[in-house]
Amino acid sequence: MASGTSDLEQPILSSLGKVGKSSGEIGEPLINGGRRSENYSVLAAVLPFLFPAVGGLLYGYDIGATSCATISIEVSSELMHYCISLSFIITYIERGHMTSGSLYGALIGSILAFNIADFLGRRGELILSASFYIVGALVTTLAPDLVVMVIGRIVYGVGIGLAMHAAPMYIAETAPSQIRGQLISLKEFFIVFGMLLGYTVGSLLVDTVAGWRYMYGVSVPLAMVMGIGMWWLPASPRWILLRAIQGKGNVQDLRETAISCLCRLRGQAIGDSAREQVDEVMSELSYVSDEKEATLGDMFRGKCLKALTIGAGLVLFQQVSSSIKSTGF
């Protein structure tokens, strides 16, 4: 469900949920070390996390469902008859294209994600991601042959690439600071839960004739929930203020829009402090924009090198352990 309007045109709806209280500050205290008491509505804080997290759930679901879909394609008498009638026999290489099609798309989505996020915003990128999820799932589900199926998998993968970029950014920029880390970590839980859901649905449908179609079809309503939810949510106030800092609109208008979005994200509990908090974030962004731009070489120095080593090491050990398991050693 692609959006025809920009984030800045999103109407400001009524505040959400019941009031809860906590303490902390929006963003990191880069400008001053003082900490303010931040009130927020619990429901208003949960929903901006929940809908982006569905993007991670759909990623995990695809992993689990595809594992069962390959089995369903091999054993489905309906599909075997269908394949033979079209002189279409699934080889190991073709099955590899089917299973890795979403990864091809995710690579494309990841390359495009940075420009899309800057142009459409995090919310707009997630709406676009949901659109790719829906189209990709429908094309895969209704595919008349292997080529169309792989195309559908690639389209679905583009949605994965966009969602995995935008979801953590939107959550980080909209969540109250004191629960931001927990919510971002919980998004990873949604990916794993999606895998479990995919394996569960797949195991129930694996012996069904053309069950693989139903497995991929389950993604459609989930993606619709994600798209509708993101359409309803406001834009990230931080992204709006970043546009103001970059001179991509009237500063005062963008500031007022950011205040309205922040009020909706926090609910009625934010009271009259929204303007002050927006000014603090704007000052922080102005400070950061004056810093020297990072270079590629900075990845291999200091704390960045440590993080890169840990990340690469985890991927290496994961691949080694998977290879050992698959070879039976």
Side-chain angles (χ1 to χ4, degrees):
M1 43 182 21
S3 171
T5 59
S6 68
D7 279 343
L8 301 181
E9 297 170 344
Q10 170 72 3
I12 304 304
L13 305 179
S14 60
S15 297
L16 305 173
K18 299 181 179 180
V19 174
K21 293 188 177 182
S22 187
S23 62
E25 75 289 329
I26 292 183
E28 299 299 327
L30 297 178
I31 306 306
N32 53 64
R35 306 181 70 86
R36 69 168 58 253
S37 175
E38 180 185 352
N39 298 333
Y40 62 91
S41 165
V42 174
L43 184 59
V46 169
L47 292 181
F49 154 77
L50 186 62
F51 292 117
V54 174
L57 184 144
L58 285 165
Y59 171 39
Y61 178 84
D62 181 72
I63 295 174
T66 299
S67 299
C68 298
T70 55
I71 300 175
S72 175
I73 289 177
E74 291 176 352
V75 302
S76 172
S77 59
E78 182 264 351
L79 182 62
M80 290 303 295
H81 172 74
Y82 179 68
C83 292
I84 292 173
S85 67
L86 290 180
S87 300
F88 158 45
I89 299 176
I90 297 179
T91 65
Y92 284 109
I93 294 178
E94 291 170 333
R95 186 171 64 180
H97 287 313
M98 170 195 155
T99 56
S100 60
S102 61
L103 298 180
Y104 301 148
L107 177 61
I108 297 172
S110 298
I111 294 173
L112 300 175
F114 297 97
N115 291 330
I116 291 176
D118 287 339
F119 180 70
L120 296 179
R122 293 68 164 114
R123 169 181 168 269
E125 186 179 4
L126 284 167
I127 293 174
L128 185 61
S129 171
S131 302
F132 276 106
Y133 274 140
I134 293 172
V135 174
L138 286 174
V139 171
T140 303
T141 301
L142 304 175
D145 54 45
L146 181 65
V147 174
V148 176
M149 176 191 287
V150 173
I151 292 174
R153 302 280 296 133
I154 292 174
V155 173
Y156 191 95
V158 175
I160 293 175
L162 295 178
M164 292 303 96
H165 174 258
M169 292 184 66
Y170 186 87
I171 294 171
E173 292 181 355
T174 59
S177 57
Q178 58 268 35
I179 60 173
R180 185 177 300 145
Q182 293 93 316
L183 292 181
I184 294 176
S185 300
L186 194 58
K187 194 241 2 164
E188 302 301 319
F189 164 79
F190 267 66
I191 296 177
V192 179
F193 178 73
M195 295 180 190
L196 176 61
L197 181 63
Y199 286 122
T200 302
V201 172
S203 64
L204 294 175
L205 298 173
V206 70
D207 294 326
T208 304
V209 175
W212 60 275
R213 296 185 185 273
Y214 302 107
M215 296 177 198
Y216 287 123
V218 170
S219 301
V220 176
L222 293 175
M224 292 181 66
V225 169
M226 172 188 170
I228 293 172
M230 291 310 307
W231 176 269
W232 176 66
L233 287 172
S236 162
R238 192 178 184 89
W239 174 75
I240 295 173
L241 295 174
L242 182 61
R243 290 178 63 84
I245 295 297
Q246 295 171 342
K248 296 181 179 179
N250 182 276
V251 174
Q252 188 59 35
D253 290 343
L254 293 175
R255 177 176 174 273
E256 292 300 321
T257 303
I259 292 171
S260 299
C261 291
L262 181 60
C263 288
R264 184 172 172 217
L265 288 166
R266 294 293 181 269
Q268 296 178 350
I270 195 171
D272 299 327
S273 63
R275 292 182 179 276
E276 185 177 351
Q277 293 182 22
V278 163
D279 288 340
E280 286 184 4
V281 175
M282 200 164 185
S283 298
E284 176 190 327
L285 291 173
S286 300
Y287 176 82
V288 173
S289 65
D290 293 336
E291 292 185 339
K292 181 182 177 181
E293 186 174 349
T295 63
L296 183 62
D298 291 335
M299 288 177 53
F300 305 97
R301 303 190 189 99
K303 295 181 179 180
C304 292
L305 176 60
K306 183 178 180 181
L308 179 64
T309 302
I310 294 174
L314 289 173
V315 174
L316 174 63
F317 285 122
Q318 187 269 335
Q319 293 298 322
V320 169
S321 61
S322 297
S323 300
I324 293 175
K325 181 179 180 181
S326 62
T327 55
F329 290 106

